Each structure stands twice: as C-alpha cells, then as structure tokens.
C-alpha cells in the first residue's frame, strides 16, 4: 500500500524463492518464477487475496528465467538454455515453441498493445529490442539497444527507457533515430 506505507506478505514458502511476480490475466491470482528446493525454476501461482503456499502452474516446463502473459492462457518465457531462448506456450498444453535464441533477460508487453517486446543479441555487439505480435506471428526489429544494455521499459506514451550506468535514456522507437539522455535517476 504505497499511500499507507504498509506491506503485506503474499507468499508462505520455505525452501523456495519467488521472482518476477505478475498479476495473471483474470486478476484473481499472481504468478512468479519460483526457484524450488532442488533449484528447478518453474512458474507458480498464488491467490491475490491472502497469504498462501501457492501451487505449480507450469509443471512440465522448467528453467524459466523470465516470462510475460500475452493472453489469458498463453505466455512467452525466457528459458535458461545456452544461449537463452524465447519460447511461447499455452498454460494447459505446456508444449513450448522456440521463437528466438540469444535473448536478453527483459520481456514486456508494449503498453496498450497486444505486442510483446524483448531483446535479442544477434551478435556480441549487435543487440536489438524486437517485437512480436501473436496474431501476425512475425518478429520485427524495432531499435538497437544502448551498447551492452538489455533492460528496458515502456512509458505510458509508448516511448522506451533504458539505463546505462547512472544515466537514463529515452527513445520513441517510431520517430527518434537515437537515444536521448534525459538525466540521472532522481534528477528532474
């Protein structure tokens, strides 16, 4: 509760750790990447209304690093293969399909759209933010990342933000030809 300054524990787990929580499409549960006692990383779900032990949501798929829901029953995942791969699956079927390889660790829906965005490392020095639309099925190169950076986010206005060291950069992927420094975090 940001206004009240209170926190509420939502998971009750021993011997496990949870990362990357996301409210699931129906809004009644949230999912996490859970590192289990044997170090296997799978997607689990927890109720939103109370502290709970949770349950394995994707029992057939392991080595999940990051993920994003793009439909009420479908998700894209970064699987920790060597190199990392972007895979998609249906929650019930759990038969992943590889979409791309040499993936960074950031995977996000482009705000206000049905388009998934991610970083692909084409070569050691050529990294791009790319997009994939589930209905179209094709992967599109959007913009080159800042050198050596793989974390980004979308602003509500549809612009990209990336950090590099202590500097923050902004880019409209459809209008700008370069990243623009917009200041250091906490300034302006």
């Amino acid at each position: 509760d940001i206004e009240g300054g209170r926190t509420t524990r939502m998971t009750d787990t021993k011997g496990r750790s949870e990362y990357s929580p996301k409210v699931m499409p129906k809004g009644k549960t949230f999912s996490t990447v859970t590192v289990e006692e044997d170090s296997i990383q799978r997607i689990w779900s927890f109720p939103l209304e109370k502290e709970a032990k949770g349950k394995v949501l994707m029992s057939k798929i392991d080595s999940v690093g990051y993920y994003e829901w793009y439909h009420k029953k479908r998700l894209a995942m970064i699987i920790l293969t060597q190199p990392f791969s972007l895979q998609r699956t249906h929650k019930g079927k759990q038969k992943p399909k590889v979409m791309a390889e040499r993936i960074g660790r950031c995977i996000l829906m482009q705000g206000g759209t049905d388009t998934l965005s991610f970083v692909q490392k084409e070569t050691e020095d050529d990294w791009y933010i790319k997009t994939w639309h589930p209905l179209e099925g094709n992967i599109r190169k959007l913009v080159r990342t800042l050198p050596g950076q793989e974390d980004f986010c979308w602003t509500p206005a549809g612009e990209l933000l990336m950090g590099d060291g202590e500097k923050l950069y902004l880019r409209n992927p459809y209008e700008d030809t370069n990243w623009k420094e917009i200041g250091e975090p906490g300034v302006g």
Side-chain angles (χ1 to χ4, degrees):
D1 177 0
I2 295 172
E3 274 187 30
R6 295 181 304 270
T7 60
T8 303
R9 182 177 173 154
M10 298 300 296
T11 61
D12 179 16
T13 56
K14 292 180 176 68
R16 298 190 308 256
S17 301
E18 296 89 28
Y19 300 92
S20 304
K22 295 182 184 285
V23 175
M24 292 176 63
K26 290 185 180 178
K28 296 179 182 177
T29 53
F30 68 97
S31 53
T32 67
V33 170
T34 298
V35 182
E36 300 170 11
E37 292 175 13
D38 57 4
S39 298
I40 290 176
Q41 292 182 210
R42 287 190 258 237
I43 297 179
W44 283 54
S45 69
F46 298 85
L48 272 173
E49 69 273 355
K50 63 180 180 177
E51 181 178 326
K53 294 187 185 316
K55 64 181 180 179
V56 177
L57 186 64
M58 306 287 283
S59 62
K60 297 177 183 176
I61 301 171
D62 63 30
S63 302
V64 178
Y66 304 91
Y67 68 101
E68 182 71 271
W69 293 95
Y70 65 88
H71 180 270
K72 61 183 176 182
K73 293 186 180 181
R74 299 183 196 307
L75 66 159
M77 306 164 292
I78 296 173
I79 302 295
L80 305 178
T81 52
Q82 288 302 322
F84 291 180
S85 61
L86 177 64
Q87 300 183 23
R88 62 184 165 98
T89 194
H90 184 282
K91 170 175 96 166
K93 296 176 184 172
Q94 297 185 49
K95 293 182 180 177
K97 180 180 179 187
V98 176
M99 298 165 53
E101 294 183 333
R102 295 179 311 280
I103 301 302
R105 64 179 169 246
C106 194
I107 178 173
L108 297 168
M109 292 303 290
Q110 184 176 347
T113 73
D114 293 331
T115 303
L116 183 80
S117 56
F118 60 94
V119 169
Q120 186 171 30
K121 302 173 180 181
E122 292 186 354
T123 68
E124 191 172 312
D125 298 322
D126 291 324
W127 297 5
Y128 293 90
I129 296 174
K130 295 188 174 185
T131 60
W132 174 74
H133 191 281
L135 295 178
E136 296 169 5
N138 58 334
I139 292 176
R140 182 175 158 230
K141 193 181 290 186
L142 196 58
V143 298
R144 184 184 295 267
T145 68
L146 291 170
Q149 303 304 314
E150 60 185 302
D151 298 310
F152 66 93
C153 68
W154 291 95
T155 70
E159 297 169 311
L160 288 163
L161 288 172
M162 287 195 93
D164 187 3
E166 296 199 12
K167 295 182 179 177
L168 191 60
Y169 294 84
L170 178 80
R171 183 170 182 175
N172 181 320
Y174 305 103
E175 296 174 7
D176 299 336
T177 56
N178 292 304
W179 291 92
K180 300 175 195 169
E181 184 179 337
I182 60 170
E184 296 178 18
V187 177

